[in-house]
Amino acid sequence: MAGRARRSVEVRREEILTTTVELLDKLGLASTRVADVAVALDVSPALVFYHFGTKDDLVAEAFAHAVERDLRRLERAANGTDPVDRLRRVLRLYGPTGRATGWRIWIDAWAVAQRDPNIRKVLKRLDHQWQDILRSVVDDGVASGDFTCPDPEATVARLSALVDGLSVAAVVHRTVTREQLRNWVAAQLAVELGVDVETLG
């Protein structure tokens, strides 16, 4: 009986996070209210507060929930023995794809993080996770001799900045297509890692 009760609480928590992510994408991090989440789920705001304590905690956890799904896919793509193939798979997934829900929320979080320490802390942790995934692929490629890279840390930092900037241009300004984003990132990585850009296509 107690086991079933605990599972029910977990399922409700997952439902709240999923619904909050949808609202964050639609309304933005700053504008989404606990009342909006409660209405969307047809529950009382008290139930939402029971699970998350405060609106800030709810928004921070929902933001992490959205981005961590993308990071889990990247981690799976980064598995394998061939560094070039692993890098190719990571590049296909990273950056705006599909509806780009995670990226819209991520970009919104950059603005909110300037004033919200909760979001800033989550954003920093998630950014480190992404960079760690890419860094592991680069390090393995350097160790195997597939990549030539004198400073993997700087390469990963430059690539992250490039993808972030191009993603804003693709998702917000729409001055860059997603195909251009992928091609330009691959071209820069080819230079950084000493590989033929055709191998990353």
Side-chain angles (χ1 to χ4, degrees), residues 7-8 36-37 45 53 60-61 96 116-117 131 144 146 152 170 187 189 198:
R7 184 175 182 281
S8 174
D36 298 321
V37 177
E61 286 198 47
D116 185 327
Q131 292 199 27
S144 67
D146 289 288
L189 256 185
E198 298 299 324

Side-chain angles (χ1 to χ4, degrees), residues 12 15-46 48-49 55 58-59:
R12 174 58 72 183
E15 288 173 341
I16 293 170
L17 285 171
T18 299
T19 298
T20 304
V21 168
E22 292 169 1
L23 290 170
L24 294 180
D25 185 37
K26 181 180 177 182
L27 304 175
L29 275 73
S31 298
T32 298
R33 303 171 305 156
V34 169
D36 298 321
V37 177
V39 167
L41 286 166
D42 195 23
V43 299
S44 72
V48 180
F49 283 122
K55 183 242 183 180
L58 170 64
V59 169

Side-chain angles (χ1 to χ4, degrees), residues 128-142:
H128 283 166
Q129 280 181 248
W130 143 245
Q131 292 199 27
D132 287 346
I133 292 168
L134 182 60
R135 177 69 187 269
S136 71
V137 176
V138 172
D139 284 345
D140 289 349
V142 171

Side-chain angles (χ1 to χ4, degrees), residues 94-136:
Y94 193 68
T97 58
R99 289 182 56 244
T101 300
W103 265 101
R104 276 194 299 274
I105 296 172
W106 185 278
I107 290 168
D108 191 22
W110 288 336
V112 173
Q114 295 179 78
R115 294 173 184 82
D116 185 327
N118 258 4
I119 295 297
R120 186 162 56 246
K121 183 178 177 182
V122 173
L123 193 61
K124 186 174 182 180
R125 175 174 61 82
L126 295 172
D127 193 53
H128 283 166
Q129 280 181 248
W130 143 245
Q131 292 199 27
D132 287 346
I133 292 168
L134 182 60
R135 177 69 187 269
S136 71

